Amino acid sequence: MSIFSPKRYVAAVDRIDLDELYAQGKRAILLDRDNTLVPRDRATAPDEVAAWLDHACDLGMQLCMVSNNWHHDQVMRSARELGMEAIGFALKPLPFALLKAIRRLGVAKGETVMVGDQLYTDVWAGTLAGIDTILVKPQTTVDLWYTQIFRIFERRALRDLTCED
């Protein structure tokens, strides 16, 4: 398996079967913020994402937002609204923020999964941290200019990977 290969590729975060993850022994989910939980062109998460997160909490799963967003106030506000811990300015693909989140939540790597919309940050960071990864399609096409450049290479890398609906 390549460092850039997610364990799964899913159409949207709320389409990930939480009951299945729980049955697989996952007890913690690390989540990217921008275009994974919160569309880049909005300030809040869609209702279906909030409901999905509520179900994760009902199952007893621990959640932590791990975001590269350098606007600390936006990251913390979103995390509070969604009822989870957060680490901002994570510097993904470096794995250090993910490892910090795992320690903070008090879970094992094998019990943790990283969910994000970017192959070259979220998936790579999760792989380097030694945890399973799930790549989701971005919620919107609005992105920072440099992320748009990465998306070109990402599309090429994902061309043979089937996306689960």
Side-chain angles (χ1 to χ4, degrees), residues 3-16:
I3 194 169
F4 296 119
S5 295
K7 184 167 185 173
R8 294 177 56 199
Y9 181 31
V10 181
V13 70
D14 60 302
R15 298 213 179 128
I16 298 169

Side-chain angles (χ1 to χ4, degrees), residues 48-68:
E48 57 272 13
V49 171
W52 182 84
L53 293 168
D54 287 342
H55 182 56
C57 290
D58 291 344
L59 289 171
M61 298 181 104
Q62 297 186 69
L63 307 172
C64 185
M65 184 181 295
V66 182
S67 175
N68 277 356

Side-chain angles (χ1 to χ4, degrees), residues 44-122:
T44 59
D47 292 341
E48 57 272 13
V49 171
W52 182 84
L53 293 168
D54 287 342
H55 182 56
C57 290
D58 291 344
L59 289 171
M61 298 181 104
Q62 297 186 69
L63 307 172
C64 185
M65 184 181 295
V66 182
S67 175
N68 277 356
N69 191 321
W70 57 68
H71 299 287
H72 187 74
D73 57 327
Q74 290 177 4
V75 173
M76 294 303 140
R77 186 187 71 242
S78 291
R80 268 192 316 276
E81 288 171 358
L82 296 171
M84 69 179 73
E85 303 248 355
I87 296 172
F89 198 59
L91 300 175
K92 295 175 289 184
L94 297 174
F96 307 117
L98 277 67
L99 296 170
K100 179 179 179 180
I102 291 166
R103 282 191 308 275
R104 184 184 290 180
L105 297 176
V107 293
K109 290 180 183 182
E111 297 176 313
T112 308
V113 63
M114 173 67 201
V115 177
D117 69 297
Q118 290 189 56
L119 190 62
Y120 298 114
T121 57
D122 304 313

Side-chain angles (χ1 to χ4, degrees), residues 120-141:
Y120 298 114
T121 57
D122 304 313
V123 171
W124 196 4
T127 303
L128 291 172
I131 62 174
D132 287 341
T133 59
I134 300 175
L135 180 67
V136 296
K137 287 188 175 181
Q139 291 186 6
T140 179
T141 57

Side-chain angles (χ1 to χ4, degrees), residues 16-23 29 51-53 55-56 59 61:
I16 298 169
D17 187 335
L18 291 166
D19 297 304
E20 179 184 329
L21 282 181
Y22 192 85
I29 307 173
W52 182 84
L53 293 168
H55 182 56
L59 289 171
M61 298 181 104

